[in-house]
Amino acid sequence: MTRQRVLDEALRLFAERGYAATSVADIQVACGLAPGSGALYKHFPSKRALLEHAVRRNLDTVAGRSDDAVAELPAEPAEALRLMAEVVWATMDGERNLIRIMIREFDVFPELFEPMWDTVVAAVYRRCADWVTALAGRGITRVEDPEATAAVLVASLTYFPILDVLIGRTPGDVGKRRFLDAWLAHAARTLGLEA
């Protein structure tokens, strides 16, 4: 049994059942170990420590992947908008379990999930706000409040994958491609990027 497998199985079970409803024995069984064997404690001192390690590992992965993907945005605003949207969705899709756990367990472990907001979610809003502000500075868009506009655009973009993660449904039961195409058209109109 590897430490990586323990982290992956624990994250999956916490997402499916919730932290409190997942026992150490459940995690051991999911990893192919005998329940009550104590083998999990060779890797982590407690279930809480396991959750902390899983969250930190995934946060580091998300932050690095997101930064790398949008390090250099295309000069064409419509292409940059599409790239940012696709990166946000790909990141959220890759971290479905972490998102589900964070939303379900935020009240129980605020100190654990606050860094996710500070390092990942707030960074996405900031990056988008900086991009919209730069467009305004170059005279490409004329939005009155770039920060609020960016917040609305990111919130509407992330609503689709959040609902999908939490309840397995999407807004209006519209497919992913249709939603993204409509979002891109709406965002382009909002920013005045239409030809």
Side-chain angles (χ1 to χ4, degrees):
M1 173 183 66
T2 66
R3 183 178 173 92
Q4 181 74 28
R5 179 153 184 219
V6 172
L7 288 168
D8 291 341
E9 291 298 331
L11 205 60
R12 181 183 63 77
L13 289 171
F14 294 154
E16 288 175 4
R17 302 177 182 177
Y19 176 82
T22 302
S23 69
V24 169
D26 293 333
I27 298 166
Q28 290 174 328
V29 168
C31 292
L33 300 168
S37 67
L40 183 133
Y41 296 112
K42 293 177 185 172
H43 297 281
F44 302 97
S46 66
K47 185 170 89 167
R48 162 96 188 211
L50 174 56
L51 175 65
E52 290 172 358
H53 276 75
V55 169
R56 264 197 312 276
R57 176 197 68 175
N58 286 44
L59 281 180
D60 292 345
T61 301
V62 169
R65 192 179 328 141
S66 298
D67 288 346
D68 291 346
V70 295
E72 191 129 345
L73 289 172
E76 168 58 38
E79 290 175 26
L81 190 63
R82 178 174 289 279
L83 175 65
M84 287 188 289
E86 289 174 351
V87 166
V88 166
W89 272 20
T91 300
M92 292 180 78
D93 191 49
E95 294 300 331
R96 293 174 65 86
N97 287 339
L98 182 61
I99 291 167
R100 181 175 246 181
I101 294 167
M102 186 188 95
I103 291 171
R104 284 183 171 173
E105 309 289 351
F106 196 91
D107 290 345
V108 180
F109 302 106
E111 72 288 349
L112 185 57
F113 292 109
E114 196 65 39
M116 184 170 179
W117 180 266
D118 292 342
T119 61
V120 178
V121 180
V124 170
Y125 280 99
R126 180 80 262 141
R127 176 80 180 198
C128 188
D130 290 347
W131 180 73
V132 174
T133 300
L135 290 180
R138 293 175 17 218
I140 295 172
T141 186
R142 290 184 174 27
V143 296
E144 291 183 29
D145 188 341
E147 288 186 358
T149 300
V152 169
L153 292 176
V154 172
S156 63
L157 177 68
T158 57
Y159 183 64
F160 182 100
I162 287 172
L163 276 186
D164 188 36
V165 163
L166 289 180
I167 62 172
R169 301 293 298 264
T170 58
D173 291 324
V174 173
K176 186 175 185 176
R177 189 62 13 209
R178 279 180 63 204
F179 185 97
L180 184 58
D181 287 345
W183 182 87
L184 287 165
H186 174 77
R189 278 191 304 277
T190 298
L191 297 171
L193 304 179
E194 298 172 306

